[in-house]
C-alpha cells in the first residue's frame, strides 16, 4: 500500500519470521528489521532502550498500513448514536472503519470499544464505537493520598490544627483547598491560601492549578484562612481629587466624565475576568487575575499617577472618601499571596474592591557586638526568623497607621500572657517593631543593598504616608524586642492533630490490595471516571469544554487480545514504575464480564501465548519475553541471544508488562492453522531450501 511504508516494514518483518522459523539458527539478530523501522521511525534508530509497548504499537500500525487493501481511502465521518440502538450504531461504525482499513491486522488484532460521555451541565450523552488494537489498562492502585495541612484561622484563636485532607494523587492544589475548607468549616475554598512554610517564612505559595504531586512528604503545608476587610475604611484619597475646587465638584461635565471613567474601569475588569483562561478553579465571578512581573501589579484602580502616590497624605475625612459600591462582596478581596520571589506564584487575585494578602514574618533581634557604624555593610543586629508566618490582608494602598492597626490585630493573639489581652496598637512599639520586607520575606524591600539589611523599621513619621501599594507590593515583619517574653512560642509549636489524620489514613490503608488480578486492571479501565481539566470534553450543546464523565466497555472482541499493563506512571512533577505483582491466567481468561455485546460474550475465553517482561526501573532496565511454542506447547525464556525452556509455573512474575492472548475459538477461520499443518509447512520449506542449496553446489 503506497499510503503506508511502501511495504518495507512488512517485508522486513516477513524476512525476520522466515529466519526465526527456518530451524537453522539458535538465535537471530534482527539487524535488517531494526534498520527498517528506524528509517521510518527515528526514535527506534539508535541503541537506546525503547518501550516494548511503543514498539508493538508502531509495528502493528506499520504492518496494517503496508498490508491495507484500501489504497484510496474515502472521507468518512464519526458515527454517533443519537438515541439509536447500540447494535445498529456499532455495526455502522465498524463498516465505516472498514471503508478505510482492511488488513490481516484488522481481522486478527482489532476490536471495538463503546465510549459513553455525559456532560455534567446539560446531561447530554454521547455514545460512540471506536476500534482498538490493544488495551492499555491501569494498575488499580490507591488513587488518593492523605495530605497533612496545618490550618491557621483568620482570628488566630486556638492552636493551629493539623487536618488530614484526602486528595487525588493526580489532583491539583484547588482540590486540596476544597478538602481543607470542608474539614475546617471554611465557607469557600477561595478563602484559603496554601503555603509551604520553611525556615519560619512562606517559602512558596501553592497555586490552584499546580499538581498535588509536587508536594513532598517532608514539606510543611499550611492553610491560612483569609479574612475580610472593609476596604473603604482604609481608603487613601487621591491628592489631586482632594484639591478640586467646589465649582469643579459640582460641574456636570466633570461628573459625566467621572461616571464614564468608572464604567470603563468596570468593563475592563469584567473583560479581564472573561479573558482569563488560567483562572483558578472555584474563583468567584468578578475576580480579576492580575499578573505580577518583577514585583509589580497592574492596579485596576490606579490612575497612572505613580510618582505622586508615595507622598499621598490622608486628610480629614479621607477614610470615607472611597467608593463603597462593592459592599455586596462583603469586603473580601485577597485570593492568593503576591510575590516577587521565583519560589512563589507570580500572579495575584484581586477583587474589585482591591484587597490583597501578603505574608507577615516573625523576627527576633540581638545586638551585633562587632558592629562598625562606619561600615555601610556592617549589621547593627543579627535577625532571626521565629515561629510561624501569618497571612496579612491589606487594602491596595495603605498608609503606615493602617498597616500598624492591621498588623497588631493579626499579631495580638500570638502574644504571651497579659500582652494578648491588654496591649494596644499605640503601645505596640514598646513590644515590637514593624519592618518592611520583600515579598519572599527574606530581606529588606527598601535598601538598595537589601542582602545586608533584614528589614527597615516602619517609622512613626510614616503614619500618614503610603507604605504599601499593590502596584509595588511588599511583605512585613514583626521584630520582637524580647521574643522569649513576648511571643508565644509554645502555641506556635503545639499544633493539635485532628481526628481526620488517623481516620483517613486508616481508610486509604484498607483500600490497599495485597494482590492484583489482571481482571482488576481491566475493571479499572472500564470504570466510569471524571475527565481532568486538561482532558476536558467539548459539549456541542453547551458549546464549551467541560469535565465530563466517561466510561469504556468492550463491545467487539478481537481474536488476538493484547493487554498492556501501565506500570509506568507519569505526572508533571514525578515518574514512577509500579512493580506490584499482577496475577493473570495462562488459560481461560474470560472477558465476558467486561463486554456489553451479547453476541460476543458466549465466546470470550482466551489463552495466553506470550509475555513481554520489563526488569529494572525508570533509569534503565532489561526486556525479556516468555513465549509458548504452539508446535510442542512448551514455554521458552527469550533473553537477548539466550533461549531456554522454562517451566510454565515460572512465567508469571512481577515483571510482566505486556500480555498476549488468543481466543480459544478463533472467529477468523481463514487464519487458523493446526500444529500438524504448521509442522508440515515448515518441513516442506526446509526441504525446498536444502534442494536449492544443493543445486547451487
Amino acid at each position: 500500500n503506497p499510503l503506508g511504508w511502501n511495504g518495507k516494514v512488512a517485508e522486513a518483518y516477513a524476512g525476520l519470521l522466515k529466519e526465526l522459523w527456518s530451524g537453522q539458527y539458535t538465535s537471530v539478530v534482527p539487524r535488517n528489521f531494526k534498520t527498517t523501522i528506524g528509517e521510518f521511525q527515528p526514535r527506534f534508530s539508535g541503541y537506546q532502550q525503547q518501550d516494548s509497548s511503543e514498539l508493538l504499537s508502531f509495528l502493528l500500525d506499520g504492518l496494517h498500513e503496508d498490508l491495507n487493501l484500501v489504497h484510496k481511502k474515502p472521507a468518512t465521518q464519526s458515527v454517533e448514536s443519537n438515541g439509536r440502538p447500540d447494535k445498529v450504531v456499532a455495526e455502522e461504525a465498524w463498516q465505516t472503519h472498514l471503508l478505510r482499513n482492511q488488513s490481516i491486522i484488522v481481522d486478527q488484532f482489532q476490536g471495538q470499544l463503546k465510549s459513553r460521555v455525559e456532560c455534567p451541565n446539560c446531561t447530554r450523552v454521547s455514545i460512540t464505537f471506536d476500534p482498538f488494537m490493544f488495551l492499555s489498562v491501569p494498575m488499580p492502585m490507591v488513587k488518593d493520598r492523605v495530605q497533612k495541612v496545618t490550618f491557621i484561622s483568620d482570628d488566630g484563636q486556638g492552636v493551629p490544627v493539623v487536618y488530614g485532607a484526602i486528595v487525588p494523587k493526580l489532583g491539583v492544589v484547588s482540590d486540596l483547598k476544597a478538602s481543607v475548607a470542608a474539614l475546617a468549616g471554611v465557607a469557600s475554598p477561595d478563602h484559603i491560601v496554601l503555603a509551604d512554610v520553611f525556615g519560619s517564612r512562606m517559602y512558596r505559595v501553592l497555586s490552584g492549578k499546580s499538581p498535588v504531586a509536587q508536594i513532598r512528604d517532608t514539606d510543611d503545608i499550611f492553610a491560612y484562612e483569609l479574612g475580610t476587610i472593609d476596604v473603604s475604611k482604609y481608603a487613601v484619597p487621591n491628592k489631586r481629587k482632594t484639591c478640586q475646587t467646589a465649582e469643579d465638584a459640582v460641574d456636570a461635565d466633570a461628573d459625566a466624565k467621572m461616571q464614564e471613567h468608572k464604567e470603563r474601569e468596570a468593563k475592563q475588569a469584567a473583560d479581564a475576568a472573561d479573558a482569563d483562561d488560567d483562572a483558578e478553579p472555584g474563583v468567584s465571578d468578578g475576580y480579576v487575575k492580575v499578573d505580577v512581573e518583577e514585583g509589580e501589579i497592574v492596579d485596576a484602580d490606579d490612575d497612572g499617577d505613580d510618582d505622586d502616590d508615595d507622598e499621598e497624605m490622608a486628610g480629614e475625612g479621607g477614610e470615607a472618601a472611597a467608593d463603597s459600591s462593592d459592599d455586596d462582596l462583603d469586603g473580601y478581596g485577597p485570593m492568593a499571596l503576591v510575590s516577587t520571589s521565583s519560589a512563589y506564584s507570580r500572579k495575584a487575585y484581586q477583587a474589585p474592591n482591591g484587597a490583597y494578602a501578603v505574608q507577615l514574618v516573625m523576627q527576633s533581634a540581638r545586638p551585633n557586638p562587632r558592629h562598625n557604624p562606619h561600615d555601610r555593610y556592617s549589621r547593627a543586629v543579627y535577625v532571626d526568623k521565629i515561629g510561624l508566618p501569618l497571612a496579612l490582608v491589606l487594602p491596595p494602598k495603605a498608609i503606615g497607621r493602617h498597616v500598624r492597626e492591621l498588623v497588631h490585630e493579626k499579631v495580638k493573639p500570638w502574644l504571651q500572657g497579659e500582652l494578648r489581652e491588654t496591649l494596644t496598637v499605640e503601645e505596640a512599639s514598646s513590644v515590637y517593631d514593624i519592618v518592611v520586607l520583600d515579598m519572599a520575606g527574606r530581606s529588606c524591600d527598601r535598601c538598595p543593598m537589601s542582602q545586608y539589611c533584614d528589614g527597615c523599621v516602619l517609622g512613626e513619621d510614616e503614619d500618614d504616608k503610603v507604605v504599601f501599594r499593590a502596584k509595588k507590593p511588599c511583605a512585613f515583619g514583626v521584630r520582637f524586642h524580647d521574643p522569649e517574653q513576648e511571643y508565644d512560642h509554645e502555641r506556635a509549636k503545639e499544633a493539635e492533630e485532628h481526628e481526620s489524620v488517623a481516620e483517613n489514613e486508616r481508610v486509604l490503608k484498607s483500600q490497599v490490595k495485597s494482590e492484583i488480578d489482571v481482571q482488576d486492571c481491566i475493571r479499572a479501565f472500564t470504570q466510569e471516571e471524571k475527565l481532568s481539566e486538561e482532558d476536558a470534553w467539548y459539549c456541542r450543546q453547551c458549546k464549551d469544554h467541560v469535565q465530563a464523565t466517561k466510561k469504556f466497555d468492550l463491545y467487539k472482541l478481537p481474536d488476538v487480545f493484547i493487554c498492556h499493563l501501565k506500570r509506568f506512571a507519569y505526572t508533571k512533577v514525578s515518574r514512577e514504575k509500579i512493580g506490584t505483582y499482577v496475577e493473570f491466567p495462562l488459560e481461560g481468561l474470560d472477558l465476558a464480564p467486561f463486554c456489553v455485546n451479547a453476541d460476543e460474550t458466549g465466546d470470550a475465553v482466551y489463552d495466553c501465548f506470550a509475555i513481554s517482561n520489563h526488569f529494572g526501573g525508570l533509569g534503565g532496565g532489561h526486556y525479556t519475553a516468555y513465549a509458548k511454542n504452539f508446535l510442542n506447547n512448551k514455554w521458552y525464556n527469550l533473553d537477548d541471544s539466550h533461549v531456554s525452556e522454562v517451566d510454565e509455573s515460572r512465567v508469571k512474575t512481577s515483571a510482566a508488562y505486556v500480555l498476549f492472548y488468543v481466543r480459544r475459538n478463533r472467529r477468523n477461520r481463514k487464519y487458523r492453522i493446526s500444529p500438524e499443518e504448521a509442522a508440515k509447512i515448515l518441513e516442506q520449506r526446509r526441504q525446498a531450501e536444502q534442494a536449492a542449496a544443493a543445486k547451487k553446489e
Side-chain angles (χ1 to χ4, degrees):
N1 185 356
L3 297 179
W5 308 112
N6 297 318
K8 291 186 178 180
V9 172
E11 290 174 354
Y13 184 66
L16 178 61
L17 289 179
K18 288 181 180 179
E19 289 183 296
L20 288 173
W21 289 95
S22 67
Q24 301 178 18
Y25 313 102
T26 57
S27 64
V28 173
V29 180
R31 290 191 181 91
N32 181 55
F33 175 69
K34 181 183 182 303
T35 302
T36 302
I37 63 174
E39 177 183 346
F40 295 104
Q41 189 57 264
R43 62 176 168 167
F44 297 123
S45 61
Y47 291 92
Q48 294 181 341
Q49 188 181 88
Q50 302 294 335
D51 190 287
S52 64
S53 67
E54 293 179 0
L55 173 62
L56 176 65
S57 177
F58 168 78
L59 178 60
L60 290 175
D61 284 337
L63 290 175
H64 162 65
E65 289 299 343
D66 275 358
L67 303 175
N68 195 351
L69 300 178
V70 180
H71 292 187
K72 294 183 178 180
K73 296 186 177 184
T76 59
Q77 293 182 345
S78 60
V79 179
E80 284 201 38
S81 62
N82 295 324
R84 295 180 295 166
D86 285 354
K87 188 172 183 178
V88 174
V89 181
E91 180 62 25
E92 181 182 342
W94 186 253
Q95 293 302 321
T96 301
H97 176 63
L98 294 181
L99 291 176
R100 297 170 58 88
N101 304 276
Q102 295 182 35
S103 71
I104 185 176
I105 303 299
V106 174
D107 295 341
Q108 292 284 82
F109 293 90
Q110 288 193 359
Q112 196 175 31
L113 285 175
K114 176 184 176 181
S115 172
R116 183 184 187 277
V117 185
E118 182 175 352
C119 176
N121 299 329
C122 66
T123 66
R124 174 179 176 265
V125 175
S126 171
I127 296 178
T128 57
F129 294 84
D130 305 302
F132 72 92
M133 192 86 73
F134 59 87
L135 287 188
S136 292
V137 296
M139 305 283 281
M141 309 297 290
V142 178
K143 297 182 179 180
D144 297 328
R145 62 182 281 190
V146 175
Q147 178 61 51
K148 291 183 179 181
V149 178
T150 304
F151 177 78
I152 296 180
S153 63
D154 173 59
D155 58 15
Q157 301 301 318
V159 297
V161 180
V162 179
Y163 290 104
I166 291 183
V167 62
K169 290 182 178 179
L170 300 180
V172 292
V173 170
S174 58
D175 299 326
L176 180 57
K177 289 172 65 175
S179 181
V180 173
L183 289 170
V186 178
S188 170
D190 300 336
H191 292 206
I192 288 179
V193 63
L194 295 179
D196 180 1
V197 173
F198 177 76
S200 294
R201 69 179 180 89
M202 297 183 193
Y203 173 72
R204 59 173 175 165
V205 173
L206 306 178
S207 62
K209 288 189 176 181
S210 299
V212 173
Q214 73 175 353
I215 302 176
R216 298 169 295 183
D217 294 335
T218 55
D219 292 341
D220 290 326
I221 305 302
F222 280 69
Y224 294 90
E225 182 184 12
L226 300 179
T228 61
I229 64 171
D230 184 358
V231 177
S232 63
K233 178 181 176 182
Y234 302 101
V236 178
N238 188 295
K239 187 169 69 174
R240 292 184 302 167
K241 294 178 184 178
T242 59
C243 295
Q244 286 180 333
T245 65
E247 290 78 8
D248 291 334
V250 297
D251 183 82
D253 184 63
D255 286 345
K257 290 182 178 180
M258 181 62 68
Q259 182 63 27
E260 181 183 353
H261 176 68
K262 289 182 178 180
E263 292 175 356
R264 184 168 61 251
E265 284 188 332
K267 184 178 184 303
Q268 290 174 349
D271 291 343
D274 293 338
D276 178 21
D277 293 332
D278 298 323
E280 182 178 358
V283 174
S284 304
D285 292 341
Y287 285 89
V288 181
K289 186 179 73 176
V290 188
D291 292 343
V292 180
E293 295 296 340
E294 302 301 328
E296 293 195 2
I297 305 178
V298 179
D299 186 355
D301 294 328
D302 189 65
D303 57 10
D305 190 6
D306 297 341
D307 297 332
D308 294 340
D309 289 341
D310 291 333
E311 297 298 329
E312 284 180 355
M313 306 292 288
E316 291 292 325
E319 295 179 351
D323 184 358
S324 58
S325 60
D326 296 308
D327 291 343
D328 57 318
L329 294 171
D330 296 327
Y332 181 71
M335 300 302 297
L337 299 189
V338 295
S339 171
T340 59
S341 169
S342 59
Y344 283 71
S345 169
R346 303 286 291 182
K347 297 178 180 179
Y349 286 89
Q350 175 197 0
N353 60 353
Y356 292 86
V358 297
Q359 68 169 311
L360 185 63
V361 180
M362 306 296 120
Q363 293 182 347
S364 67
R366 48 192 170 87
N368 178 10
R370 298 183 179 181
H371 171 57
N372 181 1
H374 302 292
D375 184 357
R376 63 182 296 188
Y377 303 126
S378 177
R379 301 190 182 201
V381 294
Y382 290 122
V383 175
D384 299 312
K385 298 176 183 66
I386 61 173
L388 298 176
L390 303 175
L392 176 66
V393 178
L394 293 172
K397 297 177 185 178
I399 59 177
R401 173 162 44 89
H402 294 159
V403 170
R404 293 184 195 279
E405 293 174 5
L406 293 169
V407 168
H408 185 68
E409 181 182 346
K410 183 64 64 176
V411 173
K412 193 174 180 180
W414 298 86
L415 300 178
Q416 287 193 33
E418 293 184 1
L419 290 176
R420 187 183 307 164
E421 304 297 332
T422 61
L423 188 67
T424 63
V425 66
E426 291 78 15
E427 301 169 339
S429 59
S430 64
V431 175
Y432 61 80
D433 293 320
I434 299 177
V435 295
V436 184
L437 303 173
D438 62 21
M439 286 305 299
R442 288 181 295 202
S443 56
C444 185
D445 189 62
R446 293 180 171 180
C447 296
M449 304 294 288
S450 60
Q451 65 268 36
Y452 298 102
C453 179
D454 294 293
C456 288
V457 176
L458 186 66
E460 294 182 0
D461 60 339
E462 298 180 273
D463 278 0
D464 292 324
K465 292 183 180 179
V466 175
V467 296
F468 174 83
R469 300 170 63 242
K471 191 174 180 69
K472 297 179 181 179
C474 64
F476 292 94
V478 174
R479 186 173 298 168
F480 290 95
H481 300 164
D482 188 358
E484 297 302 322
Q485 301 298 322
E486 298 159 349
Y487 181 69
D488 193 346
H489 293 271
E490 294 303 319
R491 182 163 176 266
K493 295 177 182 177
E494 295 178 358
E496 177 184 307
E497 187 170 286
H498 189 259
E499 60 183 10
S500 60
V501 176
E503 175 63 21
N504 289 338
E505 287 180 346
R506 184 192 64 78
V507 170
L508 292 190
K509 190 174 182 179
S510 66
Q511 297 177 3
V512 178
K513 290 188 175 182
S514 58
E515 186 176 279
I516 298 176
D517 188 275
V518 68
Q519 290 197 332
D520 294 330
C521 300
I522 301 175
R523 189 173 295 108
F525 174 81
T526 58
Q527 279 184 343
E528 185 176 83
E529 64 174 349
K530 182 179 180 180
L531 298 178
S532 65
E533 192 172 355
E534 290 76 15
D535 299 324
W537 174 71
Y538 183 78
C539 177
R540 293 204 304 263
Q541 188 164 308
C542 296
K543 300 189 183 305
D544 192 15
H545 287 86
V546 297
Q547 290 181 257
T549 55
K550 188 171 186 177
K551 188 181 188 309
F552 285 119
D553 289 297
L554 299 181
Y555 192 84
K556 181 181 179 64
L557 301 177
D559 274 352
V560 180
F561 174 68
I562 302 175
C563 184
H564 164 226
L565 304 177
K566 296 171 70 173
R567 290 192 177 274
F568 298 100
Y570 300 93
T571 67
K572 293 180 180 179
V573 295
S574 66
R575 302 186 304 164
E576 66 173 333
K577 180 189 175 183
I578 304 173
T580 305
Y581 172 74
V582 177
E583 173 64 28
F584 56 93
L586 295 180
E587 294 183 350
L589 173 64
D590 188 6
L591 296 181
F594 313 104
C595 185
V596 294
N597 184 359
D599 295 337
E600 295 279 339
T601 55
D603 193 11
V605 178
Y606 289 75
D607 299 322
C608 184
F609 67 90
I611 305 159
S612 173
N613 304 306
H614 180 269
F615 297 91
L618 292 170
H622 182 61
Y623 282 101
T624 69
Y626 294 121
K628 187 177 183 179
N629 188 325
F630 79 105
L631 295 178
N632 58 16
N633 287 325
K634 292 182 179 181
W635 283 89
Y636 290 86
N637 177 27
L638 314 176
D639 187 354
D640 289 343
S641 61
H642 177 73
V643 180
S644 60
E645 187 176 334
V646 63
D647 189 84
E648 183 179 284
S649 62
R650 298 177 57 189
V651 301
K652 295 194 291 185
T653 69
S654 60
Y657 184 46
V658 183
L659 309 177
F660 297 79
Y661 283 88
V662 62
R663 198 197 308 246
R664 187 169 290 178
N665 297 312
R666 300 169 76 172
R667 298 286 181 87
N668 289 299
R669 297 185 177 276
K670 64 180 179 180
Y671 300 120
R672 294 180 62 181
I673 184 172
S674 67
E676 294 76 16
E677 292 174 319
K680 183 178 179 180
I681 293 173
L682 291 174
E683 182 60 29
Q684 292 174 348
R685 181 180 297 168
R686 292 193 192 98
Q687 292 177 0
E689 290 176 348
Q690 290 175 357
K695 188 175 181 180
K696 288 183 179 180
E697 294 177 355

